[in-house]
Amino acid sequence: MTELMIKPRLRWACRRGMLELDVLLAPFVEEGYDALSLQQKQDFERLLACDDPDLFAWFMGHAKSSDPALQALVRLILDRVRV
């Protein structure tokens, strides 16, 4: 799948059932996704496949993902927001 096809699909996948997740994920796709390595891009797609309650807990700091790659992306996204 080409980059031109991936971005719209990712934008759609970032539309979650929780506003708190929308405001973190959607801007990241627009501003940070392109700078990710290929592996990080694959991990980001896996992150988007996770359930909203899990994502919410990880991003709000109530829990950590058991997957180190996903937890690293959570941290990366949060660090970009706090800049």
Side-chain angles (χ1 to χ4, degrees):
M1 191 174 299
T2 68
E3 283 289 319
L4 292 175
M5 295 173 65
I6 290 172
K7 277 279 192 117
R9 188 174 53 80
L10 290 176
R11 281 186 203 107
W12 181 256
C14 286
R15 295 182 56 168
R16 311 303 290 204
M18 297 180 174
L19 178 61
E20 297 87 347
L21 297 176
D22 292 350
V23 299
L24 289 170
L25 297 172
F28 182 78
V29 166
E30 297 303 324
E31 300 164 8
Y33 178 80
D34 290 336
L36 297 177
S37 70
L38 179 58
Q39 183 59 56
Q40 287 173 314
K41 288 178 180 180
Q42 292 169 347
D43 293 338
F44 184 72
E45 291 192 41
R46 288 191 310 113
L47 183 75
L48 293 179
C50 295
D51 293 331
D52 284 357
D54 291 332
L55 291 173
F56 182 80
W58 300 340
F59 280 107
M60 297 304 125
H62 301 300
K64 289 187 177 184
S65 172
S66 60
D67 183 322
L70 296 185
Q71 188 58 41
L73 274 174
V74 168
R75 182 84 261 137
L76 178 72
I77 293 167
L78 288 173
D79 287 346
R80 288 186 58 86
V81 170
R82 291 189 182 128
V83 170

